């Protein structure tokens, strides 16, 4: 690592959390004057809501603003591409912000915005997902008519996944911070210093928001924040795979395991129930854990405690695949096996937990 790059990384880590932190403070104060910053009046009664009372849900403004400021710290060698990438990211941010401000935007429209943003990245930078760690498939991905649709699927899945897990205080932002750090460590081992710096920058930006979101939930990410973070992380993973051939795609997937696994779980659950894939519900993993805490330990009037405890309980399970990602960053087969193991544990524990909660409810109270 050069001295110049080291100084840029240090500036990112020290200044960008302050930008997002004070940006969130300003938004919290402004929400008292401008109610629209708190979203729609009925948001807290929505089927997927895990909080009570109206809270500013525009943390995405601070996140995106701090990311925009990060362009001042980007290395000269990647500055133009990074500015173009931030322009594409603004598409996801603006559409998500419209929903956060109370102007209804359907889930399909938000995913379509991710698709348009990814196509913009591909058009401006000329790159897409190069490989998934499967030899024959990797050869096919070199053709744009296969590689580009697969890229759109991956970026939409990760972006939507972060929105799905943004249901309790700190879970989505903690997942993003640790995913970015894991990618930074992978990039460092692969010798990709520029990407290491960008990943640390993202972790720093999200951390500034995290300290105001967890544990008390003074401000929420909102759709703009969740979709933006997922979009940026998905493309950071793609660029890392392009610039560092030794990195296993399955290791990158492990870094993003929790939101992707929750997305697969939601799709499977809704398919079995004959519901549309975009239909919201209260059956995500974190929602199950929170209701279990309430039913078994705290009672239903302790939502302010069970909400934050859920993230604390899930944190080791979220971070474990990311630790394995760093350890197996260049071991493609072992990383693939690790993904399969974590998927079995994720789905198996969910099924077991659902059965346990149902049995608990059926027991007569004596």
């Amino acid at each position: 690592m050069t001295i110049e790059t080291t100084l840029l990384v240090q500036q990112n880590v020290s200044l960008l959390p302050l930008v997002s932190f004070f940006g969130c403070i300003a938004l919290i104060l402004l929400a008292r004057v401008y109610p629209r910053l708190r979203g729609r009046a009925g948001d807290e009664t929505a089927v997927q809501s895990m909080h009570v009372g109206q809270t500013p849900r525009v943390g995405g403004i601070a996140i995106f603003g701090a990311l925009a400021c990060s362009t001042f710290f980007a290395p000269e060698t990647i500055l133009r591409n990074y500015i173009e990438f931030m322009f594409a990211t603004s598409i996801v941010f603006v559409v998500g912000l419209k929903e956060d401000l109370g102007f209804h935007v359907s889930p399909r429209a938000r995913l379509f915005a991710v698709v348009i943003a990814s196509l913009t990245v591909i058009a401006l930078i000329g790159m897409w997902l190069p490989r998934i760690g499967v030899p024959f498939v990797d050869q096919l991905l070199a053709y744009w008519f296969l590689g580009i649709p697969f890229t759109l699927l991956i970026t939409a899945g990760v972006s939507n996944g972060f929105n799905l897990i943004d249901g309790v205080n700190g879970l989505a932002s903690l997942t993003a911070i640790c995913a970015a750090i894991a990618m930074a460590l992978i990039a460092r081992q692969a010798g990709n210093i520029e990407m290491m710096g960008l990943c640390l920058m993202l972790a720093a930006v999200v951390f500034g928001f995290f300290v105001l979101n967890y544990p008390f939930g003074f401000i929420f990410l909102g759709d703009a924040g969740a979709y933006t973070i997922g979009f940026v992380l998905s493309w950071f993973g793609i660029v890392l795979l392009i610039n560092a051939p030794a990195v296993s795609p399955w290791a990158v997937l492990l870094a993003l395991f929790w939101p992707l696994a929750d997305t697969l779980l939601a799709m499977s659950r809704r398919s079995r129930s004959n519901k549309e894939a975009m239909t919201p519900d209260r059956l995500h993993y974190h929602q199950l854990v929170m209701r279990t805490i309430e039913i078994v330990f705290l009672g239903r009037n302790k939502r302010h405690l069970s909400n934050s405890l859920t993230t604390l309980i899930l944190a080791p399970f979220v971070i474990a695949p990311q630790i394995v990602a760093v350890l197996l960053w260049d071991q493609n087969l072992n990383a693939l096996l690790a993904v399969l193991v974590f998927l079995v544990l994720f789905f198996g524990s969910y099924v077991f937990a659902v059965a346990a909660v149902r049995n608990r409810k059926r027991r007569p109270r004596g």
Side-chain angles (χ1 to χ4, degrees):
M1 182 184 298
T2 65
I3 296 177
E4 178 186 1
T5 304
T6 301
L7 291 175
L8 286 171
V9 170
Q10 291 175 346
Q11 288 175 323
N12 283 336
V13 172
S14 61
L15 293 179
L16 292 178
L18 297 178
V19 175
S20 58
F21 175 82
F22 286 109
C24 288
I25 292 289
L27 291 166
I28 292 170
L29 296 176
L30 285 172
R32 299 178 181 179
V33 181
Y34 300 102
R36 186 169 289 279
L37 294 177
R38 300 194 296 268
R40 294 179 292 266
D43 283 341
E44 69 273 13
T45 60
V47 64
Q48 73 273 26
S49 176
M50 291 288 103
H51 62 282
V52 292
Q54 283 189 283
T55 302
R57 49 176 295 181
V58 287
I61 296 177
I63 295 288
F64 184 79
L67 285 174
C69 290
S70 71
T71 57
F72 293 103
F73 303 110
E76 188 68 28
T77 54
I78 62 170
L79 179 58
R80 178 178 177 178
N81 284 346
Y82 188 54
I83 291 175
E84 292 173 338
F85 174 70
M86 289 307 303
F87 168 75
T89 304
S90 69
I91 299 172
V92 178
F93 165 72
V94 169
V95 173
L97 182 61
K98 184 178 179 181
E99 167 70 15
D100 296 336
L101 293 176
F103 303 99
H104 179 68
V105 180
S106 70
R108 293 185 185 278
R110 280 172 263 159
L111 281 181
F112 183 70
V114 175
V115 170
I116 295 300
S118 287
L119 287 173
T120 303
V121 175
I122 294 170
L124 291 174
I125 303 177
M127 59 178 64
W128 57 81
L129 181 69
R131 51 198 169 85
I132 61 170
V134 179
F136 178 71
V137 178
D138 288 350
Q139 294 174 357
L140 295 178
L141 290 179
Y143 298 98
W144 67 267
F145 53 85
L146 294 175
I148 290 179
F150 205 88
T151 301
L152 301 180
L153 177 65
I154 294 296
T155 55
V158 176
S159 301
N160 186 61
F162 271 94
N163 189 53
L164 292 180
I165 66 172
D166 184 31
V168 292
N169 296 343
L171 181 60
S173 49
L174 176 67
T175 303
I177 291 169
C178 295
I181 292 174
M183 285 191 188
L185 293 173
I186 292 173
R188 184 178 186 275
Q189 293 178 100
N192 192 338
I193 303 306
E194 289 81 9
M195 184 52 59
M196 183 197 75
L198 293 183
C199 290
L200 290 178
M201 172 251 344
L202 177 60
V205 166
V206 180
F207 180 76
F209 162 86
F210 176 79
V211 297
L212 288 170
N213 175 248
Y214 187 84
F216 300 112
F218 294 122
I219 188 170
F220 299 149
L221 274 176
D223 289 317
Y227 275 98
T228 295
I229 288 173
F231 182 79
V232 172
L233 277 170
S234 65
W235 271 102
F236 277 9
I238 291 171
V239 174
L240 181 58
L241 292 175
I242 292 171
N243 295 326
V247 174
S248 167
W250 299 104
V252 174
L253 190 151
L254 283 169
L256 300 168
F257 178 82
W258 197 265
L260 285 172
D262 193 75
T263 299
L264 289 176
L265 177 63
M267 293 172 60
S268 173
R269 185 173 64 245
R270 292 162 187 171
S271 175
R272 293 197 308 272
S273 302
N274 293 321
K275 296 180 179 179
E276 290 190 10
M278 307 303 294
T279 303
D281 58 32
R282 297 170 63 92
L283 296 173
H284 294 286
Y285 207 115
H286 59 272
Q287 294 168 328
L288 176 64
V289 170
M290 189 174 74
R291 290 206 301 276
T292 300
I293 294 172
E294 292 175 346
I295 293 171
V296 178
F297 300 105
L298 299 180
R300 294 187 180 276
N301 296 323
K302 302 292 184 180
R303 178 61 55 86
H304 62 290
L305 296 176
S306 62
N307 188 309
S308 298
L309 281 174
T310 298
T311 297
L312 187 64
I313 291 171
L314 288 178
F317 304 97
V318 171
I319 297 172
Q322 297 167 338
I323 294 175
V324 174
V326 177
L327 297 175
L328 302 179
W329 70 275
D330 60 345
Q331 301 178 41
N332 194 62
L333 178 58
N334 289 336
L336 168 60
L337 294 175
V339 169
L340 297 177
V341 169
F342 280 116
L343 280 174
V344 170
L345 292 174
F346 182 89
F347 279 85
S349 60
Y350 181 86
V351 171
F352 175 82
V354 169
V357 170
R358 287 175 177 171
N359 291 335
R360 177 84 182 189
K361 288 182 176 180
R362 291 170 183 169
R363 290 179 186 176
R365 297 182 179 180

